[in-house]
Amino acid sequence: MNPPLLRIRLLGGFRLERDGGAPLAERWSRPSARTLVKLLAIAPGHQLHREQLMGACWPHAELPAALRSLRVALHAARHALEPELPPRAVSSYLTGDGALLRLAPDAVWIDIDHAGSLARQALADGGARGLAAALEALNGELLPEDPYATWAAPPRERLRQLRDQVRGALSRAQTAPARGTPGEEAAPPEADAARVRLDWALALDRSGRYGEAIGVLQEALASYERQGRRDACVLAAARLAEVLCRSRTGQEALAVLDAHPPGPGTPDEVWAAHRMARSAVLSYTGRYEEALAAARAAQRSAEAARGPDRPVLLARSLAQQTVCLGLSGRSGEATGPAERALAPAEESGDPALLATVLSVLRESARRAGRHRQALEYGRRALALAEQAGRPTATAFERANLAELHLLLGERDDAERLARAAVELAEPFGATALAFALVALARVRHAPDPAGSVRLLDRAERCAEEGGHLQAIDARR
């Protein structure tokens, strides 16, 4: 028998309803249980690793204490959502899968999912009635009772952007001249729908859902091709290529870039995005000198750009140069570009980008033997990756911090972080898991050489699956 549908409302304030079943308590026994459900409700895919939840709810607690607090909060949350749940029974709504916790998709309805679906459909259809209904569904502030919660900032910004797109499309639909056929109120604002897809794909990419991100980006690219918008095609192709090289092959990614090159009159920021994507793909396939040249060209284009994306593009191109210099054995030249990337990354206000730049600075400091400084950069990068809800980036940062602790002789911290990295990377496999396995193998090399070799063999298989030669180089 299916459980009653649980409805979670976040717009205008957190509240719960059920279509039947025992009445839900108005008060929660533990505030942390309530926060835990909120975090899952706003997370991409409505799932989070246990350590992400611990980091958000108990950021200053030691691991054993945080684990105890999580167990208590989980128990309280499950019984708040399902008061009739017998002891030790499996929850219908809040389930676990290894280290991941999630809200059951078939049993839980969430208002921001419903509103987002209405908005994307309305933008694709273009009718004023559907756009007005979508705008109404998007009405209300997300979790107004948590105004200063950093974990609520990214979904608030995504909702704001979606509202602006729907509002603009509705204004155009209402002012467009009527057409002869009933129901054809205005030309479908396909450009708005494609833009929504680009924004949604970025969220999917950052949450490690590469297959879904690829599908959404391919839809956006096809839409821009139908509209004949060449520059928009170049930008969509650049974003698609970067996801493809992380999850499929560099050859496929380069083919997408070659099929949609910039042309005369292409804006500098679009040129920068194209060259940045090419550098990323070349780096992933081990062509570091070519990648460095492309990153430097991307920097020149970013410096000439005047749009709002200028700080992002400038920070990314400088950080990418550091990566390429380090991987090509020119570590002495790598620090300068990384340090220059920090200011534009902070200016961008994007925690995910700042985490990337700090990660690059961490690696430069490690190569220079400044291990304590590298540890400081790595800890900041890890906190930002967790804040941005990026599980694969979080796993990567934990793996690198584990290796730093190992270099400093702090084996217990190294083991804890390496194991946490592998657990978090397991569901994603490929490149993310390869890096985590390499870190764990290095930590365990001295006490268990045979086990370390098995971990490295598995890491190589994962790296080959992801087509990431940098990860294979790390294994060796």
Side-chain angles (χ1 to χ4, degrees):
M1 183 177 177
N2 293 331
L5 183 68
L6 174 69
R7 298 179 185 271
I8 301 179
R9 300 188 185 275
L10 307 174
L11 295 169
F14 179 75
R15 51 209 190 280
L16 301 176
E17 304 164 3
R18 278 205 306 176
D19 297 351
L24 300 177
E26 293 186 7
R27 291 184 176 273
W28 288 60
S29 61
R30 290 183 175 272
S32 58
R34 187 183 177 102
T35 300
L36 186 150
V37 174
K38 290 179 183 180
L39 286 163
L40 290 171
I42 65 172
H46 307 304
Q47 64 178 20
L48 287 170
H49 191 277
R50 291 171 187 266
E51 291 206 10
Q52 287 177 287
L53 289 165
M54 288 188 289
C57 295
W58 305 279
H60 306 298
E62 295 294 328
L63 182 59
L67 282 169
R68 287 193 297 271
S69 297
L70 177 62
R71 284 195 292 269
V72 172
L74 270 174
H75 177 81
R78 284 170 170 148
H79 284 273
L81 301 178
E82 198 172 4
E84 69 276 17
L85 187 68
R88 293 182 293 279
V90 176
S91 171
S92 302
Y93 306 116
L94 205 172
T95 63
D97 180 9
L100 290 175
L101 293 169
R102 62 168 57 92
L103 295 173
D106 297 334
V108 179
W109 176 96
I110 301 173
D111 62 351
I112 56 173
D113 289 353
H114 174 69
S117 178
L118 284 178
R120 286 186 285 275
Q121 185 60 51
L123 287 167
D125 294 342
R129 182 177 299 176
L131 289 162
L135 195 59
E136 177 65 24
L138 287 165
N139 187 43
E141 184 183 351
L142 179 71
L143 299 173
E145 68 273 20
D146 298 303
Y148 305 113
T150 55
W151 45 262
R156 279 196 187 112
E157 177 59 19
R158 290 195 293 270
L159 280 170
R160 185 195 66 77
Q161 292 177 359
L162 188 56
R163 279 193 203 101
D164 289 346
Q165 289 160 349
V166 172
R167 192 176 289 116
L170 177 59
S171 176
R172 289 189 292 275
Q174 289 172 333
T175 57
R179 303 201 304 190
T181 306
E184 292 183 335
E185 299 159 282
E190 195 171 4
D192 288 306
R195 183 67 201 180
V196 170
R197 291 187 181 107
L198 288 181
D199 293 340
W200 178 234
L202 180 60
L204 291 169
D205 179 23
R206 287 182 169 181
S207 64
R209 295 158 65 184
Y210 300 132
E212 293 174 71
I214 288 169
V216 171
L217 285 166
Q218 287 170 333
E219 290 175 5
L221 180 55
S223 175
Y224 285 137
E225 287 174 333
R226 288 192 296 272
Q227 298 170 61
R229 299 182 60 193
R230 179 170 182 171
D231 292 340
C233 286
V234 174
L235 184 59
R239 294 192 183 181
L240 176 57
E242 292 202 47
V243 185
L244 283 170
C245 74
R246 283 195 293 275
S247 58
R248 294 188 185 175
T249 67
Q251 289 75 17
E252 189 175 355
L254 288 172
V256 169
L257 290 173
D258 291 341
H260 300 88
T266 296
D268 290 311
E269 58 266 26
V270 179
W271 267 107
H274 173 83
R275 286 165 167 159
M276 185 61 229
R278 186 171 292 277
S279 178
V281 175
L282 291 169
S283 174
Y284 266 79
T285 55
R287 296 158 65 179
Y288 303 131
E289 290 297 336
E290 294 174 76
L292 176 61
R296 285 174 170 163
Q299 179 192 344
R300 292 192 293 271
S301 296
E303 288 171 339
R306 293 293 176 266
D309 290 339
R310 182 180 187 274
V312 173
L313 293 166
L314 188 56
R316 290 193 66 212
S317 61
L318 286 164
Q320 178 68 11
Q321 288 174 48
T322 298
V323 171
C324 296
L325 286 165
L327 291 170
S328 60
R330 298 159 64 182
S331 302
E333 304 171 50
T335 303
E339 291 175 342
R340 295 200 304 276
L342 192 56
E346 291 173 334
E347 182 187 346
S348 75
D350 183 348
L353 175 61
L354 183 54
T356 299
V357 172
L358 287 166
S359 178
V360 170
L361 283 166
R362 181 252 308 135
E363 188 60 16
S364 295
R366 185 193 69 79
R367 286 194 172 112
R370 302 192 305 272
H371 296 150
R372 288 294 175 191
Q373 184 183 28
L375 201 63
E376 181 181 344
Y377 283 135
R379 285 170 174 161
R380 288 181 63 195
L382 175 59
L384 286 165
E386 291 173 335
Q387 175 189 332
R390 302 182 66 196
T392 54
T394 299
F396 179 75
E397 294 305 329
R398 287 175 179 166
N400 280 283
L401 281 173
E403 296 200 15
L404 280 168
H405 280 292
L406 185 64
L407 288 170
L408 291 164
E410 298 162 354
R411 188 169 296 278
D412 289 345
D413 286 332
E415 171 78 19
R416 174 178 59 81
L417 283 161
R419 280 193 290 104
V422 171
E423 288 176 8
L424 185 54
E426 277 286 3
F428 303 97
T431 303
L433 185 54
F435 276 109
L437 289 166
V438 166
L440 187 58
R442 287 174 176 164
V443 170
R444 293 185 176 173
H445 176 70
D448 183 12
S452 175
V453 169
R454 288 193 295 271
L455 287 168
L456 287 173
D457 288 341
R458 187 180 173 206
E460 185 162 23
R461 292 194 297 272
C462 290
E464 288 171 345
E465 176 190 337
H468 194 340
L469 296 191
Q470 183 181 336
I472 296 173
D473 290 344
R475 178 255 188 264
R476 292 169 182 160

